[in-house]
Amino acid sequence: MTPTSCARALCNRIGRVRGVRGIVGALIAALIALGATGVASAATLKASYQLRGTLSSDVPGAPDLTSLGAGNSFISEEIDGVSRQVLAFPKGNGLALNTTGLVDPRSYSVVVLFRLAELGGYRRILDFSDSTSDDGFYNFSGKAVIYGGGAASRGVVFGESYAQVTFTSTPAGGDSAAQRVVAYVDGSQAASATAPEGFQLAAGALRLFQDNTSGPAGGEESAGAVACVLVYDGALSAAEVEQLAAEPTLC
């Protein structure tokens, strides 16, 4: 069985499970099984937030997401022709996750399915510095930008519809602070860089959509909505990222 057909078989199994608990359990099993579909994996799923009315993880033992700012709310939106619950956030708000003990702060992957209301200029997507640095992952007028690594996508990859971003970070070797970071959008590599600093998970904090509140150039953010957040210990391979994007039931 090919990796893609195996993943589809797992999704078909999910559809036959009855009851919410069974569906959640099968979904987690499918996500973990991505590393067993014939693609070598160095990444382990540690947290899965499907954001259907709760900030809790479907993977036991992971901490809850926390809201940054007041006014985040669960609403229904259509994604790929299917109505589902998502978390809407006003401009200046976002989400945070305490990753202490959850993942290696120098070797991790984050998957986010989201949309932004504003695409012009810089709009923060991911912050790894606990809100103290301008370095991070952004939308810049529709392009994917690794700010602090000097890398951007060749063309526009973000629009008004939902996009799935996968961001991986691993030690670059040599310089003890440098990280090799890769950003994928909808399964395809958009940008990569060797960043000298700013991409280790400082103080165990991962932040989404809210810009840094100290340091230079704050306020680069947008309102929007998020449907799914996955966090892995270790780096997903390009083949695994492609599989995740091909199976919308997973994120």
Side-chain angles (χ1 to χ4, degrees):
M1 182 179 289
T2 65
T4 301
S5 62
C6 180
R8 287 200 181 108
L10 286 164
C11 291
N12 290 336
R13 235 181 292 163
I14 292 173
R16 292 195 295 269
V17 176
R18 301 297 180 185
V20 173
R21 290 178 182 272
I23 292 172
V24 169
L27 176 61
I28 295 170
L31 286 162
I32 294 171
L34 277 173
T37 58
V39 179
S41 177
T44 302
L45 180 69
K46 291 294 187 177
S48 170
Y49 304 93
Q50 297 300 317
L51 299 172
R52 290 183 170 92
T54 177
L55 297 181
S56 298
S57 170
D58 293 341
V59 178
D64 291 354
L65 290 168
T66 58
S67 288
L68 298 172
N72 291 355
S73 61
F74 290 102
I75 63 172
S76 292
E77 290 200 343
E78 189 172 287
I79 304 176
D80 294 330
V82 178
S83 179
R84 62 155 292 172
Q85 203 165 31
V86 300
L87 182 72
F89 51 89
K91 184 174 182 177
N93 282 16
L95 292 167
L97 176 66
N98 183 352
T99 59
T100 302
L102 187 68
V103 300
D104 183 339
R106 295 205 63 186
S107 183
Y108 59 87
S109 303
V110 182
V111 183
V112 190
L113 180 62
F114 70 99
R115 65 166 180 81
L116 296 179
E118 300 175 64
L119 298 174
Y122 280 101
R123 306 295 173 183
R124 172 83 74 165
I125 298 171
L126 296 172
D127 169 30
F128 311 101
S129 70
D130 197 17
S131 191
T132 62
S133 172
D134 204 31
D135 294 343
F137 183 61
Y138 292 80
N139 158 82
F140 176 66
S141 298
K143 293 184 177 182
V145 173
I146 300 172
Y147 191 85
S153 60
R154 289 181 178 273
V156 170
V157 293
F158 296 121
E160 295 180 354
S161 59
Y162 277 80
Q164 185 184 94
V165 160
T166 301
F167 193 94
T168 67
S169 183
T170 52
D175 186 338
S176 62
Q179 293 286 110
R180 182 62 183 171
V181 291
V182 184
Y184 304 82
V185 179
D186 294 332
S188 298
Q189 183 172 319
S192 63
T194 298
E197 58 184 16
F199 290 89
Q200 298 182 33
L201 280 169
L206 171 68
R207 294 163 63 94
L208 299 89
F209 309 119
Q210 187 186 78
D211 202 17
N212 52 295
T213 55
S214 63
E220 296 172 329
E221 51 211 3
S222 169
V226 55
C228 173
V229 180
L230 308 178
V231 180
Y232 290 80
D233 187 39
L236 289 163
S237 68
E240 289 172 319
V241 172
E242 186 177 0
Q243 281 186 335
L244 277 168
E247 296 294 347
T249 56
L250 301 181
C251 190

